[in-house]
């Protein structure tokens, strides 16, 4: 079991919205979304908790999960769950983006195909669609002061690097 106190954490409130409210809040906050982010928000599997509730999000690298050579999503998620962490519902990624306004800026503004962008935090969520050509979840990024909520695509063969950072829920 991991000791949650040893990792950066953030308390947020999630749930109690509608999809339209979330879209409006993203627009009003000036948060940019890519087409994959919009597709996830439109997906019927993107559900919202009816009541707002508190959540504690932990930020942990793949290496800190005990995977020093990197791993694919199924291995990362299994290791996290075995370590006492919980995957996040998709809605939590949107709430986290809306509430986490001071994310550190990426030092490399480029997007590189087939790798997680520098400075990105991937929100660990159950995969919405197993089709490798469909978005799997969200990542958050700050590029030159512009906050982003981006959807990502990968398959189970993709190896996340040891320094890639994920957000999980702390199991209390």
């Amino acid at each position: 079991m991991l000791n949650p106190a040893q990792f950066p954490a953030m308390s947020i409130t999630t749930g109690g919205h509608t999809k339209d409210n979330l879209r409006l809040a993203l627009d009003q906050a000036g948060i940019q979304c890519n087409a994959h982010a919009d597709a996830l928000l439109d997906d019927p599997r993107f559900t919202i908790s009816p009541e707002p509730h508190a959540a504690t999000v932990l930020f942990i690298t793949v290496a800190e999960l005990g995977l020093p050579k990197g791993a694919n999503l199924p291995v990362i998620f299994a290791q996290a769950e075995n370590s006492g962490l919980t995957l996040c519902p998709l809605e939590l990624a949107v709430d986290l983006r809306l509430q986490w306004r001071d994310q550190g800026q990426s030092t490399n503004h480029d997007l590189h195909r087939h790798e997680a962008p520098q400075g990105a935090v991937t929100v660990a969520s159950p995969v919405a669609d197993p089709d490798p050509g469909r978005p799997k979840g969200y990542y958050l990024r700050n590029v030159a002061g512009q906050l982003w909520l981006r959807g990502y695509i990968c398959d189970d063969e993709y190896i996340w690097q040891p320094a890639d950072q994920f957000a999980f829920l702390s199991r209390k």
Side-chain angles (χ1 to χ4, degrees):
M1 285 288 217
L2 295 174
N3 176 4
Q6 71 188 37
F7 301 104
M10 182 177 176
S11 295
I12 68 166
T13 301
T14 188
H17 306 288
T18 66
K19 288 185 182 186
D20 288 340
N21 291 142
L22 288 175
R23 284 182 198 285
L24 181 61
L26 289 166
D27 287 343
Q28 289 177 338
I31 294 168
Q32 298 296 306
C33 297
N34 67 352
H36 297 316
D38 290 334
L40 281 170
L41 194 54
D42 289 337
D43 193 298
R45 291 168 285 203
F46 183 113
T47 58
I48 298 175
S49 302
E51 297 296 323
H53 58 278
T56 301
V57 180
L58 298 177
F59 301 97
I60 302 174
T61 67
V62 173
E64 290 168 335
L65 280 173
L67 301 166
K69 294 182 180 182
N72 65 11
L73 275 184
V75 170
I76 291 168
F77 290 177
Q79 180 74 4
E81 290 180 346
N82 289 337
S83 299
L85 302 173
T86 302
L87 298 180
C88 305
L90 287 171
E91 74 172 310
L92 185 131
V94 180
D95 287 320
L96 180 59
R97 174 71 295 159
L98 287 165
Q99 295 171 49
W100 186 25
R101 306 307 296 264
D102 62 350
Q103 179 181 10
Q105 289 191 38
S106 297
T107 57
N108 177 344
H109 300 164
D110 296 334
L111 289 175
H112 299 282
R113 198 169 176 92
H114 307 297
E115 68 182 53
Q118 186 278 327
V121 174
T122 302
V123 179
S125 300
V127 172
D129 191 326
D131 179 339
R134 303 274 306 148
K136 300 298 171 254
Y138 289 107
Y139 71 87
L140 314 179
R141 197 161 180 231
N142 179 346
V143 179
Q146 176 62 63
L147 297 177
W148 282 87
L149 174 70
R150 296 183 62 89
Y152 69 91
I153 291 178
C154 73
D155 60 22
D156 286 349
E157 303 302 312
Y158 176 74
I159 301 298
W160 296 78
Q161 298 305 302
D164 290 340
Q165 190 171 53
F166 281 81
F168 292 95
L169 285 174
S170 174
R171 196 180 305 157
K172 290 187 178 183

